[in-house]
Amino acid sequence: MTFDPLAGAESGPVIRSTGVGVLDRVIAVLDVVEVRRLTASELGRHLGLSTPTAHRLVGSMMTHGLLSRDEDGRLRLGARFSLPHLDQVITPVLSTLQQQTGETAQVWVLRGEHRLCTASVESPAELRASVPVGTLLPLSAGGSAARVLGESTPAADWVDSISDRTPGLCSVSAPVRLPSGEVVAAVCVSAPLLRVGDDGPGARYGDDVLAAAAQLSDALHRH
């Protein structure tokens, strides 16, 4: 059975069956959203799903970054499909940021109620904030990157935190945005508080972090 994403549900089955029902539905949704902007209810009718089922499926896919909504409430592919386009530019941008600040630089993305470190360039200093790639932290644990990713309307500028998640450490983060304004990642610099001084990490590193986030946002805009 083949799937024509432009065909309506009334023209026949549109979900290809592999025997794994939920996965089949997810792929069918993605196939449609790639070529047509629909609301969740319209999508349900298009795929022959009940309205409650369509809304539950869309909600789960949004939580996992597979879908997002535009300003009209219509569905589009989510942040997970944008982030791979940054692979070639993240390391140079973070390396420059680390050299500018002397501290550990990372990129974080949202994963449900957690944040995941997808890239990190650590400070060469013996005393440093060590954040390995793959680190998964609950948003509830705090930190500047958690605030950037977790707030519904994150600040357009940088956000900093001092001894929020870990006593003695501080950080400053800035959002990476799609052309729509949606936040898809956070660029962060973390440092031992004793090296930052009384002005705080935002005053010391905020402009550099903001510039790095702007570079990554520009890369997404060009794609």
Side-chain angles (χ1 to χ4, degrees):
M1 184 187 303
T2 59
F3 169 55
D4 178 359
L6 295 178
E10 67 277 5
S11 64
V14 294
I15 299 177
R16 182 173 182 176
S17 176
T18 65
V20 185
V22 173
L23 180 59
D24 292 338
R25 290 176 177 180
V26 167
I27 296 303
V29 168
L30 295 176
D31 284 343
V32 171
V33 173
E34 277 187 315
V35 295
R36 180 181 290 183
R37 297 286 176 85
L38 301 173
T39 65
S41 296
E42 291 169 340
L43 181 68
R45 290 193 295 271
H46 189 80
L47 294 176
L49 303 174
S50 70
T51 297
T53 296
H55 280 269
R56 286 196 301 271
L57 184 60
V58 165
S60 295
M61 292 176 69
M62 291 183 66
T63 297
H64 290 291
L66 297 175
L67 292 177
S68 64
R69 284 193 172 95
D70 62 21
E71 58 277 4
D72 297 323
R74 297 185 180 277
L75 298 167
R76 62 187 175 201
L77 296 180
R80 288 208 180 193
F81 295 95
S82 301
L83 295 173
H85 304 310
L86 296 178
D87 284 350
Q88 294 184 349
V89 295
I90 280 181
T91 298
V93 168
L94 287 188
S95 295
T96 298
L97 181 60
Q98 191 284 312
Q99 291 167 9
Q100 289 171 332
T101 63
E103 303 296 348
T104 298
Q106 318 111 39
V107 168
W108 295 86
V109 298
L110 189 65
R111 290 293 182 263
E113 296 300 317
H114 293 72
R115 57 180 169 117
L116 173 69
C117 180
T118 60
S120 179
V121 178
E122 292 199 353
S123 167
E126 185 173 359
L127 178 62
R128 62 182 181 270
S130 182
V131 187
V133 171
T135 298
L136 187 68
L137 299 173
L139 295 178
S140 59
S144 61
R147 289 170 56 194
V148 167
L149 294 171
E151 294 177 2
S152 58
T153 54
D157 217 338
W158 48 260
V159 174
D160 67 357
S161 67
I162 298 175
S163 294
D164 188 5
R165 185 178 63 83
T166 303
L169 292 181
C170 60
S171 68
V172 54
S173 298
V176 178
R177 299 178 184 271
L178 293 174
S180 64
E182 180 183 358
V183 175
V184 296
V187 177
C188 178
V189 163
S190 302
L193 187 56
L194 61 85
R195 278 207 298 270
V196 172
D198 295 336
D199 290 337
R204 184 156 183 177
Y205 308 128
D207 289 344
D208 292 329
V209 172
L210 195 60
Q215 284 183 271
L216 297 182
S217 297
D218 288 344
L220 289 177
H221 292 202
R222 291 194 300 270
H223 178 75

